[in-house]
Amino acid sequence: MSLSHSLRQEGGALVVALSGSFTFSEHNAFRKVIEEVTATQPKRVTVDLEKLNRVDSAGLSMLVLLRDRVGKGGGTVQLRRPPAQVARILDVVDFSQLFEILR
């Protein structure tokens, strides 16, 4: 299953809801998501991972790129509701050092 996304405003944050598989093959599509998000110059971005079923190192790198791009505009990015499989990966790579992770 390929990666899909939706954007919505929620409580002062721009929410990026991801679903499907976030792998290397999706990096070009996610660059467009990054452009879409940063065009609005958000101060807070929440990436909802609840429906993400798979992430690889390229997907993790894209999340870091999103954080860096949003950070250039003075904004922050947090990750929300990672499913157990994704949460284990985030823990192994110590993403809590880079993101606030809301479980």
Side-chain angles (χ1 to χ4, degrees):
M1 173 188 241
S2 62
L3 183 72
S4 62
H5 79 283
S6 65
L7 299 177
R8 69 180 183 278
Q9 286 295 133
E10 182 180 291
L14 177 61
V15 175
V16 181
L18 300 179
S19 61
S21 296
F22 196 2
T23 62
F24 176 78
S25 62
E26 301 297 331
H27 77 278
N28 282 332
F30 195 72
R31 285 185 183 278
K32 292 177 183 167
V33 174
I34 292 172
E35 290 174 17
E36 197 175 344
V37 168
T38 57
T40 66
Q41 298 179 333
K43 291 300 173 196
R44 267 189 21 221
V45 175
T46 299
V47 182
D48 190 334
L49 304 173
E50 183 176 30
K51 295 183 180 178
L52 197 65
N53 58 36
R54 185 171 169 226
V55 64
D56 68 6
S57 60
L60 296 175
S61 295
M62 290 282 96
L63 290 173
V64 173
L65 181 60
L66 173 65
R67 181 197 69 142
D68 292 348
R69 296 277 173 85
V70 169
K72 282 184 182 179
T76 60
V77 176
Q78 62 184 194
L79 306 179
R80 179 171 74 184
R81 297 188 296 217
Q85 176 181 335
V86 174
R88 280 191 295 276
I89 293 169
L90 297 177
D91 290 342
V92 166
V93 297
D94 207 13
F95 253 42
S96 63
Q97 295 297 313
L98 302 174
F99 297 92
E100 178 183 9
I101 302 175
L102 307 171
R103 297 183 190 250

